[in-house]
Each structure stands twice: as structure tokens, then as C-alpha cells.
Amino acid sequence: MRVDLAQNICRYRKEKGLTQEELAKKLGVTFQAVSKWETAQSLPDITFLPRLSQIFDISIDKLLGYASYDKPITIYEEEYKIPEYYWGVEPSKVCFRVLELLPPTTHLKLLDVGCGEGKDAVFFARNGYDVTAFDISDAGIEKTKRLAGKVGVQVKTFKADILDFRLGTYFDVIFSSGVFHYIKPKLRQDILSNYKQFTKPNGLHVFNAFVNKPFIAEAPEKEPTACNWTSGELFMHYNDWLIKDCSEVIFDCNSSGIPHQHAMNSIIAQKIK
């Protein structure tokens, strides 16, 4: 809990645009005290937690690193409760590109960020990767476990919000498809820097993000927590990595039962030693 609290105080302070001195002034403590909290050298007194929660506009549970959801955060929570697989069970085409670029001829750890119902995570596990996957949807996680059990592979799953979760262990491949539009613009640098830090040498990042185009109408789902990226924005985070593939495509979609289009940027980047 100490490390989670330290990281969260620092993260949410920065999100609010506060310096350590400004936060200290609001709390009536020294900036040295705030600095020690953020480096986990000490913990704030329990009486400060309600005030920190109020300043950061989050719950105390969230401040302490505990995710609690009183209502579904994703529109797909209900969709995933149907017996059938909403997105099917065939893996995304880019999964085969991962196999080509970094085949699991040795033990390779792969993280699927926002795994949904698990079709890609299970594909990777079937092909020999050591797979960990998380999603914010309970129903999605349960279907991932079910699909893994059906084909006889292991996928380590847990529930987490992409906005709050940060890596503390290293992976060879970090993969995510159809999720990055949930990342708020002010958190993108922090999240991708964390993912890059905890990627092993020669490891891969395989991501895509929906992008805004003036000639494409808003998607009919109108997800309240979604925020598309700017065309090319995703690529700019990898100027210091080797970009193996990058593309922008426009494709037809019928996920809501209403035909529409999306524009998407995709990238495969490698961390060179």
C-alpha cells in the first residue's frame, strides 16, 4: 500500500497541475513532507486522506490503490454477459505479426492491456507466450478465463482500470487493441512512459488508437469516457524506439448494429538495447 499511495499522490497531484509546494500549502504541511510521501519515505497521517481525496477529486479507496466500481464503467459490461463472444474468438490479424517478429522460442512474457473477452490473450497463450491480461469488465475477465479453459491454456487475469494501473514488473511484449481511446490526453505520456520503462530490451509494443478525422462521423455508441487521439500522436511517443510498422487505416464497423466507420493508427515498436 505504501508504494501505491506514494505513486498516487504524485500522479494525482500532477494531474491537478499542482506543485509539491502548492499541495503542501493546501494541507498545511511542508513541501518536504509531500516529497517524502511521494518517494514512500513516509506516509501521510490518516487524517490527511479525506483532504487529499477532496483535493484530487477521487475516492480514498482510489487514492490508496484499491479499485472500487459502484456501476459499470464500460458500455461493454452488459454486452459481455451474453453467452456468445461479442467480438468473436478469432485473434486480431496483428497477433500473427507479433509471432513473426518475436516468436516465443524462449520464455517471453506478454501483457494484454484491456483484453476484453480474451480472444487475443488466449491466442498468444496457445502459441507459447506467458500471458497476463487485464480488463475493467468483470464479465470480460470471466469470458477470458472460460475461453482459456476451453482450449486448455493458462492466462493470468486481473481487473484494473487502464487509467490507474501502472506496471511494476517487466514484459517482453505489451499488446493492446481497441482500448487506447479510453486514455485521457493528460495521462498518455505518463502511461506510455511507464509501459516503456517496464519493457525488456528488444521487447515490443503493439498498440492501436482511434483517431479523429473531420470527414468521419462520431461513432454511434457515443461512449462518455472515450477520447480519440490525433492522427500521428501515438507514433510520436516512440521517436526513441525502432518503429517496425505504423499505419493509418479507415475501416467499416457494425459493432453497435449501426454501420459506421473508424479511423485508426496502429504501431509496432521495438525497444533496442
Side-chain angles (χ1 to χ4, degrees):
M1 183 190 75
R2 175 187 289 265
V3 174
D4 287 339
L5 179 57
Q7 292 176 342
N8 286 342
I9 291 174
C10 182
R11 180 185 311 150
Y12 295 125
R13 172 181 62 77
K14 291 178 179 178
E15 281 187 29
K16 288 297 182 180
L18 297 171
T19 64
Q20 289 183 340
E21 291 83 357
E22 289 168 336
L23 178 58
K25 186 175 180 180
K26 287 178 178 290
L27 296 169
V29 298
T30 64
F31 80 89
Q32 291 93 338
V34 173
S35 177
K36 288 182 178 180
W37 296 346
E38 294 187 355
T39 55
Q41 295 179 55
S42 65
L43 292 175
D45 188 274
I46 192 171
T47 58
F48 284 113
L49 297 183
R51 181 62 179 142
L52 284 166
S53 175
Q54 183 182 44
I55 293 170
F56 297 150
D57 194 26
I58 58 173
S59 68
I60 293 177
D61 279 350
K62 192 169 185 178
L63 178 63
L64 293 173
Y66 301 115
S68 61
Y69 308 105
D70 297 324
K71 58 183 178 180
I73 293 179
T74 170
I75 63 173
Y76 296 110
E77 182 65 45
E78 291 301 316
E79 301 287 359
Y80 290 167
K81 289 180 180 178
I82 64 174
E84 299 78 19
Y85 278 73
Y86 185 80
W87 301 110
V89 295
E90 294 297 318
S92 305
K93 291 181 180 179
V94 71
C95 295
F96 297 95
R97 183 71 171 133
V98 177
L99 274 175
E100 177 187 348
L101 291 172
L102 200 63
T105 52
T106 60
H107 179 261
L108 295 179
K109 294 180 63 178
L110 182 146
L111 175 68
D112 189 346
V113 176
C115 63
E117 299 167 295
K119 62 185 181 65
D120 295 330
V122 170
F123 170 83
F124 286 124
R126 291 182 70 177
N127 281 277
Y129 296 89
D130 179 354
V131 180
T132 300
F134 75 84
D135 200 272
I136 200 170
S137 165
D138 290 304
I141 291 171
E142 287 306 310
K143 291 178 88 169
T144 298
K145 293 177 181 177
R146 189 190 316 160
L147 185 60
K150 183 177 180 180
V151 301
V153 298
Q154 181 181 17
V155 175
K156 296 182 284 292
T157 59
F158 63 95
K159 180 177 180 176
D161 187 336
I162 191 173
L163 301 181
D164 298 325
F165 177 73
R166 298 294 184 275
L167 293 178
T169 57
Y170 287 85
F171 288 89
D172 299 282
V173 182
I174 304 180
F175 175 94
S176 185
S177 182
V179 176
F180 271 28
H181 57 292
Y182 294 114
I183 304 177
K184 300 174 183 177
K186 62 185 178 182
L187 294 179
R188 290 170 185 170
Q189 179 64 46
D190 179 49
I191 289 173
L192 287 176
S193 293
N194 173 253
Y195 291 176
K196 290 169 74 174
Q197 177 185 353
F198 286 97
T199 301
K200 294 179 181 179
N202 296 321
L204 294 177
H205 281 189
V206 184
F207 300 140
N208 57 45
F210 293 115
V211 297
N212 287 317
K213 289 291 183 181
F215 48 83
I216 296 180
E218 183 181 2
E221 292 92 350
K222 298 183 188 294
E223 298 182 72
T225 58
C227 184
N228 284 356
W229 294 53
T230 300
S231 182
E233 179 185 356
L234 179 61
F235 308 148
M236 294 301 294
H237 288 274
Y238 289 90
N239 65 299
D240 55 339
W241 284 32
L242 175 62
I243 297 179
K244 307 288 287 188
D245 290 317
C246 65
S247 65
E248 178 169 281
V249 298
I250 296 171
F251 61 94
D252 297 321
C253 185
N254 196 40
S255 61
S256 60
I258 302 173
H260 57 283
Q261 289 186 317
H262 290 291
M264 177 174 278
N265 282 183
S266 299
I267 189 169
I268 300 178
Q270 187 171 34
K271 184 176 185 177
I272 301 300
K273 290 183 179 179

